[in-house]
Amino acid sequence: MNATDRTPADLLGSALAADPGRPLVTFYDDATGERVELSVATFANWVAKTANLLQDELSVEPGDRVALLLPAHWQTAVWLLACASVGAVADVAGDPAAADVAVSGPEPEPLEAARACSGARIALALRPLGGRFPQPPEGFADYAVEVPGQGDRFVPYAPVDPEEPALIVAGREFTGAEVVERARAGAPELGLTGPGSRILSGRPYDTWEGLNAGLYGPLATGGSVVLCRNLDRLGGDALDKRVESERVTAIAR
């Protein structure tokens, strides 16, 4: 990655310029058997579409807060980078009542919590291949319906200031520059030594450590992540086979 990268969106842009075809996020859900692999280019396309949804359809501006009531999932990673692209604050498991936009997974508890948001409410079915709800939850727009028609390229209306808040997780706020700096600084401890590093992470996204292992660290070092949801359902032998088949070089559990 480039030393001039100051925001998570910058990191993604550098990854796209360097090698758009390489894997970036490989996602497993060990409760459903789902596996999906996203190259840098495919991931960046989802991010661009989601950022356009935020900026053009939801009128999100730099500094607005987006509450993400979502598990560790490839679509959550997309939303984190889309918020960074717009300059919005991604508030992981944040208070929807204090947010301009609330984004929820399909479970009843986060959906009910998200209803406290007086702004736009988006629901993600988290179905394989980004599938839509059979029937969207009342009061929510279905992400899988709204995002496909958005543009494949994103240009922010205003430059994103790396010194402004970009992320809130576990009650702590980080600027865009701090996210990048901490991701780089924490990479060696995770075993991310540079391009070609591939980390398997079973950590949830509700802490900095989970976000760094499951997204920011690999992105900051030119590596990739095998992001596993419900990893506790996978037996030891099956995990060993995954590590081998996915060419994993580091593990965060």
Side-chain angles (χ1 to χ4, degrees):
M1 299 295 99
N2 295 327
T4 55
D5 292 339
R6 298 291 311 285
T7 71
D10 290 341
L11 294 176
L12 182 58
S14 291
L16 189 61
D19 188 358
R22 71 172 177 84
L24 180 60
V25 178
T26 303
F27 173 73
Y28 282 88
D29 187 334
D30 288 302
T32 65
E34 177 186 0
R35 178 189 184 276
V36 60
E37 183 168 282
L38 289 87
S39 68
V40 176
T42 300
F43 183 82
N45 182 253
W46 277 91
V47 169
K49 285 179 174 292
T50 305
N52 281 315
L53 174 67
L54 282 167
Q55 180 173 263
D56 295 339
E57 302 297 329
L58 305 180
S59 300
V60 170
E61 299 178 347
D64 285 354
R65 185 173 295 193
V66 180
L68 298 179
L69 311 183
L70 299 167
H73 192 280
W74 69 266
Q75 290 188 342
T76 311
V78 166
W79 273 90
L80 287 162
L81 267 293
C83 289
S85 299
V86 175
V89 181
D91 191 356
V92 178
D95 179 8
D100 300 283
V101 176
V103 185
S104 173
E107 294 83 5
E109 186 175 346
L111 284 170
E112 186 58 35
R115 296 184 192 280
C117 179
S118 60
R121 297 190 292 266
I122 309 293
L124 278 64
L126 302 181
R127 303 180 72 189
L129 303 177
R132 42 176 85 178
F133 285 95
Q135 179 65 41
E138 185 177 354
F140 290 81
D142 186 340
Y143 173 64
V145 173
E146 301 297 327
V147 80
Q150 302 299 320
D152 294 328
R153 295 178 63 85
F154 175 74
V155 178
Y157 292 154
V160 176
D161 186 344
E163 301 302 333
E164 289 297 316
L167 174 71
I168 301 172
V169 60
R172 181 165 178 183
E173 185 177 277
F174 301 91
T175 67
E178 286 174 332
V179 170
V180 172
E181 290 163 6
R182 286 176 62 91
R184 285 176 172 152
E189 185 178 335
L190 289 169
L192 293 166
T193 56
S197 296
R198 188 156 167 83
I199 187 169
L200 183 148
S201 177
R203 295 176 179 176
Y205 266 6
D206 57 359
T207 65
W208 166 257
E209 291 74 17
L211 290 173
N212 198 32
L215 177 61
Y216 296 124
L219 191 59
T221 56
S224 60
V225 60
V226 180
L227 183 64
C228 302
R229 186 182 183 197
N230 298 308
L231 187 60
D232 57 342
R233 303 195 186 191
L234 195 67
D237 290 345
L239 177 59
D240 291 342
K241 290 178 181 177
R242 180 172 300 170
V243 167
E244 181 180 1
S245 67
E246 295 288 355
R247 297 182 173 85
V248 168
T249 61
I251 298 176
R253 299 189 67 180

